[in-house]
Amino acid sequence: MKEALILAIESSCDDTGAAVLRGRKVLSNVVAGQSVHEKYGGIVPELASRSHQQNIVPVVQQALERAGVTKEELDAVAFTKGPGLLGSLLVGSSFAKAFSMALNKPLIEINHMEAHILAHFIEGETPPPPFPFICLTVSGGHTQLVKVSAPDVFEILGETIDDAAGEAFDKIAKIMNFPFPGGPMIDKLAKDGNPDKFAFAHPKVPELNFSFSGLKTSVLYFLKKEVLKNPNFIEENKVDLAASVQKTIIDILMKQLKKAADQNGITHVAIAGGVSANSGLRAALQAQNAWTSYVPKFEFCTDNAAMIGIAAHFKFIKGEFSDQSSKASARLEM
Ligand code: KG4
Ligand code: ZN
């Protein structure tokens, strides 16, 4: 029997995504970003939902065209239920519900954070991690250590008590006057910098949790002090600053990840979410010889609908469908 053909929609934050999957294979994966937020140095929720509203129809159309399928051929439509910005989630969920009703197709609701992790199961050249594995999920809104025992069994071992890792990259980049989102820019500059030039203190957090707001504050005070002495300090030192900040964030993440893997006796270790696109973090993970490490393809790290589609694939197999009463949920737990 042919595997299910699923249309997946992602609209949790500032990227409008649509993808078509046949089983674990991605037939198309379209993402429309939103440059409208750049000048504000962060995502403006009201503008994000308006842009989703403008983008959703053409993005879905393109995904169907690129996959070479008609909407009638689809076996189900999946969407991101949460977590995320409510106004953004409502656009994707309303669209999916209307689509499902008009075409009489089953509806599948997906947790965005689970989808980031399940992106590892998209068909590709590398084998997916075997269960159980540990996943460090790092995005603009979340930083979590998760023990994954099955496609629908997730145990959160630890998480951030304040800012997310991506938020730390973005807020520190903003202090240095880099464009939003700052993570990719810090990554790029860090390649030419000395990661040991500036030292920033590590937070003291219990168990397997994280904290990044202290780092942001110490970078802010350090730069204020240096800029008073030399107004060009940031410009003159930007590559070393980027490299030092990036190293500190990676060291904080890797320390807790190692602890989690050791405590659970698990050697299959993965990363997921937007910050897993970071070249320093990818290298740090792959340098752990005691582990088999799993790093997603770049296009499946930052927000995309293919990951929603793979998560829906597992739900389709189990017959886990929802109905028109399904609601978007900004604070959806795993
Ligand atoms: O998963 P994602 O696309 O959206 C959320 O669900 O939040 O993650 C976005 C985050 C942003 O904070 C962005 O700066 C960060 O991922 N990011 C990076 C890199 N690429 C994206 N951070 C560091 N290095 C990168 N190369
Ligand atoms: Zn995300």
Side-chain angles (χ1 to χ4, degrees):
M1 200 182 80
K2 255 191 171 176
E3 288 194 281
L5 191 63
I6 296 178
L7 168 68
I9 289 158
E10 154 64 28
S11 72
S12 65
C13 194
D14 63 335
D15 293 303
T16 318
V20 177
L21 279 82
R22 165 83 71 193
R24 296 196 301 118
K25 192 174 163 57
V26 176
L27 304 184
S28 65
N29 184 30
V30 180
V31 185
Q34 302 181 354
S35 54
V36 62
H37 307 287
E38 276 164 22
K39 62 174 177 282
Y40 300 100
I43 296 162
V44 185
E46 174 65 24
L47 295 180
S49 53
R50 270 194 239 171
S51 297
H52 283 305
Q53 191 79 32
Q54 285 161 356
N55 293 340
I56 189 110
V57 171
V59 164
V60 167
Q61 250 161 7
Q62 257 190 49
L64 291 170
E65 271 167 31
R66 286 190 199 171
V69 302
T70 63
K71 39 189 189 309
E72 290 74 22
E73 287 174 89
L74 296 166
D75 295 305
V77 56
F79 69 97
T80 306
K81 178 182 171 74
L85 301 169
L86 191 63
S88 290
L89 292 165
L90 281 171
V91 177
S93 60
S94 305
F95 182 93
K97 281 162 73 174
F99 195 96
S100 147
M101 184 144 81
L103 291 154
N104 199 21
K105 304 286 182 191
L107 190 63
I108 303 176
E109 54 182 32
I110 297 298
N111 178 306
H112 180 88
M113 298 313 294
E114 294 179 7
H116 267 303
I117 297 174
L118 294 172
H120 284 281
F121 294 85
I122 288 171
E123 198 173 294
E125 65 268 29
T126 47
F131 299 108
F133 65 94
I134 302 272
C135 189
L136 170 69
T137 313
V138 269
S139 72
H142 289 80
T143 299
Q144 294 178 322
L145 279 165
V146 186
K147 180 180 168 187
V148 190
S149 304
D152 56 351
V153 183
F154 303 89
E155 183 191 345
I156 297 174
L157 305 172
E159 59 194 327
T160 183
I161 57 168
D162 43 53
D163 291 351
E167 211 175 345
F169 270 107
D170 296 340
K171 285 182 174 170
I172 292 170
K174 193 173 175 183
I175 297 169
M176 297 202 273
N177 299 317
F178 298 160
F180 178 84
M185 180 81 176
I186 292 190
D187 190 358
K188 198 165 146 228
L189 291 172
K191 292 195 172 95
D192 300 318
N194 172 5
D196 299 315
K197 178 85 179 275
F198 306 107
F200 301 106
H202 284 206
K204 290 190 176 55
V205 274
E207 291 149 7
L208 292 172
N209 295 321
F210 301 91
S211 166
F212 289 102
S213 74
L215 173 64
K216 173 195 65 194
T217 312
S218 68
V219 172
L220 176 68
Y221 286 128
F222 171 72
L223 291 178
K224 272 192 173 167
K225 196 175 71 191
E226 294 300 325
V227 167
L228 274 181
K229 291 186 264 175
N230 169 12
N232 297 323
F233 180 82
I234 295 176
E235 183 54 31
E236 285 168 13
N237 292 281
K238 65 182 179 191
V239 292
D240 295 333
L241 284 167
S244 302
V245 164
Q246 178 168 301
K247 176 180 189 281
T248 311
I249 294 174
I250 293 171
D251 287 350
I252 294 169
L253 292 171
M254 289 302 293
K255 193 172 147 209
Q256 298 301 69
L257 181 54
K258 277 184 213 157
K259 229 202 274 178
D262 287 350
Q263 282 179 7
N264 287 275
I266 292 176
T267 56
H268 291 278
V269 180
I271 51 175
V275 181
S276 64
N278 184 269
S279 56
L281 180 60
R282 293 164 90 92
L285 187 75
Q286 282 161 342
Q288 297 296 317
N289 294 327
W291 295 345
T292 312
S293 56
Y294 302 85
V295 172
K297 274 191 181 169
F298 277 111
E299 66 174 310
F300 305 133
C301 287
T302 45
D303 289 348
N304 66 90
M307 69 184 198
I308 305 304
I310 187 74
H313 158 80
F314 290 114
K315 284 201 162 186
F316 189 97
I317 292 170
K318 290 189 85 179
E320 284 177 17
F321 302 109
S322 46
D323 56 38
Q324 292 292 325
S325 68
S326 172
K327 276 204 212 77
S329 167
R331 296 190 176 277
L332 185 67
E333 301 279 332
M334 259 189 194

